Amino acid sequence: KFIEDNNLDYYDGLSAYTSTRISFQSMLNLDYKFTSLSSSEQFLDYSKLYPEGMKTNSINKYLLIDILNSLKYKILWEGPPFPGSCNQFNLNLCIEKNSNFLKNFIYRFVLNKHILKIFFYNTPFNEIYYRTGINKYFKNIYSEYQENDTIGKFIKKTEKNFNFNNGPYFFLIHHMSPHAPYLYNSDCSKREPNDDDEKELFHEGYDYAYQCVLKKIKLLIEYINSKDENSIVVIQGDHGADFG
């Protein structure tokens, strides 16, 4: 009913890939480019794939970006910390631009804490980190619950001081849900993951997050319509969950 009331179309189909990096890359290339995931050497070089490919020296190589630039569109990108966002790869694409180098550096450091975790995994530091209890001070250094809600971040950053009339704009919004560790209840309140999340394939966490996403999509459509009734909105699932 919501789809009909808002003059939307729904296309039923299967995701072309099981990887965000490949799906986004193909979307930006406007081409079903990758045909053999197992044999292609292209997948070994992340620098050529999303989100690394969003850097200033790479982004203009995409056909979609080339078309948008030729039509004088301003391109803005809102994404989660993992696999990546404008704050980490291309500050020119951020809705809210922070020119303070120190603040940008600290923010990037915080968002990329998983890299430090992997780097120190097999060193004495890792043991000290947990045995001394230091880990509890860094456990929630940033909130995945807030950062992965990219639709919510997009609305928050554009609802007050953003002028949609300065466009035209192309917004690339990567909403990280439903996705492990399933941090959203069906009403979009914060959910605490439990041990069962790792044991069950089709578990409650995925279902709750899915229900929340439907609410977020409705909110996004209503918000965009209030800003520009002639806007074009395309929503797609970039890949299916790895349920075997």
Side-chain angles (χ1 to χ4, degrees), residues 169-230:
Y169 288 102
F170 174 84
F171 297 103
L172 176 60
I173 304 173
H174 180 194
H175 189 78
M176 190 74 160
S177 186
H179 195 288
Y182 309 116
L183 301 173
Y184 305 94
N185 288 311
S186 57
D187 63 354
C188 295
S189 61
K190 188 175 182 180
R191 174 180 179 272
E192 295 297 336
N194 54 56
D195 293 338
D196 290 337
D197 289 347
E198 300 299 327
K199 299 174 183 177
E200 301 294 332
L201 292 179
F202 293 93
H203 46 67
E204 290 184 344
Y206 186 95
D207 180 44
Y208 292 156
Y210 174 73
Q211 298 300 327
C212 171
V213 167
L214 294 182
K215 294 179 175 63
K216 289 288 180 178
I217 288 175
K218 290 181 179 180
L219 185 65
L220 176 65
I221 296 297
E222 292 168 350
Y223 176 73
I224 290 296
N225 283 340
S226 71
K227 298 294 183 179
D228 179 7
E229 60 182 13
N230 295 316

Side-chain angles (χ1 to χ4, degrees), residues 12-26:
D12 192 12
L14 297 174
S15 298
Y17 305 104
T18 58
S19 164
T20 294
R21 294 178 183 274
I22 312 303
S23 295
F24 270 65
Q25 192 76 6
S26 295

Side-chain angles (χ1 to χ4, degrees), residues 4 33 62 70 105 122 131 141 145-146 148 203 211:
E4 292 177 354
K33 187 175 182 180
Y62 298 126
S70 69
F105 176 81
N122 290 317
R131 285 185 176 272
I141 196 167
Y145 171 73
Q146 293 179 334
N148 290 354
H203 46 67
Q211 298 300 327

Side-chain angles (χ1 to χ4, degrees), residues 116-134:
L116 289 176
K117 183 178 180 180
I118 296 172
F119 182 79
F120 287 115
Y121 186 75
N122 290 317
T123 69
F125 177 84
N126 195 60
E127 190 74 12
I128 296 171
Y129 179 69
Y130 287 99
R131 285 185 176 272
T132 59
I134 297 177

